[in-house]
Amino acid sequence: MSDFRIQGYVLGSVGTNCYLVFHEKTREAVIVDPADQSERIQKKVSELDIRPTAILLTHGHFDHIMAAEDVRKTYRCPLYASEAETKLLADDRLNLSGYMGSRGLSLRADQTVRDGQTLDLIGFQWRVIATPGHTAGSVCYYIESEHVLLSGDTLFCQSLGRTDFPTGSSRQIVDSIVKRLFVLPDDTMVYSGHGEQTTIGFEKKYNPVAVYREQLFD
C-alpha cells in the first residue's frame, strides 16, 4: 500500500484549495499553494503531526500565496515556483494582491522550476508540467506513481481557469489542457486550485475544452 497521503483545505476569501501532501511513515510534507490563513495551515500541520520540507506554488495569484511567507518562515523550508512566474510573483499589480482588498505582496521563490523538471520530494517524484494560460508561469505537478495531478487554476472539474488577468491567454490555456494534461492517463486524479476533485478521463469527456481536442491535435 502506498504511503502517499493528500489532504485539501479550502482557505481564503475566494475559496482556494491548499493541499498538504505527506508521506505516511516519515511524516515529511509538502504544502501546495498556501492560500491564506497561515494559522489554520499550521494547526492542520500540527494535527496531522507532519513536518513540511517544501512549499510548491502552481502560480502566483494572490489567493494562492497569501500565507506563503508565514509558512516559509515558520517551517524554514524552500518555496518553489516556475521561473516564468518570477515577475508576476514580485509585482503586486500582476499578482492582484494590490487590488483585491488585501495587502500588496511581493514574493521571490527560493528555487525556480521549469517544464519537464523532476523534483524528489518526501520520497516521491514530482514532474513539473508547464501549463501557461491562466498565467504565463502556471505549472502543474504530476506524481505519476500515485496517479495524482495538482493542477492549480489550469484545469477544474468541468471548467478551466480565467484568462482575463495579467499574462493570461485563452489560446494558451486550451493548448495546455489538451496537449499537456489530456495526454495523461485517464485514471489520473486531478486536485484543482478551486472546487472538487476530478479525473483526466472525466474531463476529456465533459470539460468544455474537450470540444477543441481534434482541432488542436491536427
Side-chain angles (χ1 to χ4, degrees), residues 34-144:
D36 202 352
Q37 299 166 286
S38 62
E39 70 283 354
R40 284 191 59 194
I41 297 174
Q42 292 173 44
K43 181 180 179 181
K44 294 299 181 182
V45 167
S46 179
E47 289 174 353
L48 291 169
D49 189 25
I50 55 179
R51 180 170 61 87
T53 60
I55 302 164
L56 301 186
L57 300 182
T58 59
H59 65 291
H61 280 157
F62 81 102
D63 61 313
H64 290 251
I65 66 171
M66 292 295 291
E69 194 59 56
D70 282 348
V71 296
R72 173 161 58 178
K73 290 179 179 178
T74 298
Y75 300 110
R76 299 182 180 180
C77 56
L79 175 71
Y80 294 74
S82 169
E83 59 186 0
E85 201 76 336
T86 300
K87 184 177 180 180
L88 185 144
L89 277 170
D91 190 331
D92 64 0
R93 296 168 300 174
L94 298 179
N95 63 43
L96 306 176
S97 61
Y99 296 100
M100 298 296 183
S102 59
R103 68 187 188 278
L105 287 178
S106 177
L107 278 181
R108 182 176 181 179
D110 298 297
Q111 299 191 39
T112 58
V113 299
R114 62 188 182 279
D115 183 49
Q117 183 175 351
T118 299
L119 306 174
D120 187 1
L121 299 172
I122 64 170
F124 304 98
Q125 299 292 309
W126 303 58
R127 176 154 62 89
V128 179
I129 303 176
T131 53
H134 181 60
T135 66
S138 289
V139 296
C140 299
Y141 299 99
Y142 178 48
I143 304 98
E144 183 175 6

Side-chain angles (χ1 to χ4, degrees), residues 10-49:
V10 180
L11 303 173
S13 60
V14 293
T16 303
N17 292 327
C18 170
Y19 295 102
L20 301 181
V21 183
F22 61 97
H23 191 288
E24 175 67 22
K25 291 180 180 176
T26 68
R27 312 309 290 177
E28 290 186 332
V30 172
I31 301 173
V32 180
D33 288 346
D36 202 352
Q37 299 166 286
S38 62
E39 70 283 354
R40 284 191 59 194
I41 297 174
Q42 292 173 44
K43 181 180 179 181
K44 294 299 181 182
V45 167
S46 179
E47 289 174 353
L48 291 169
D49 189 25

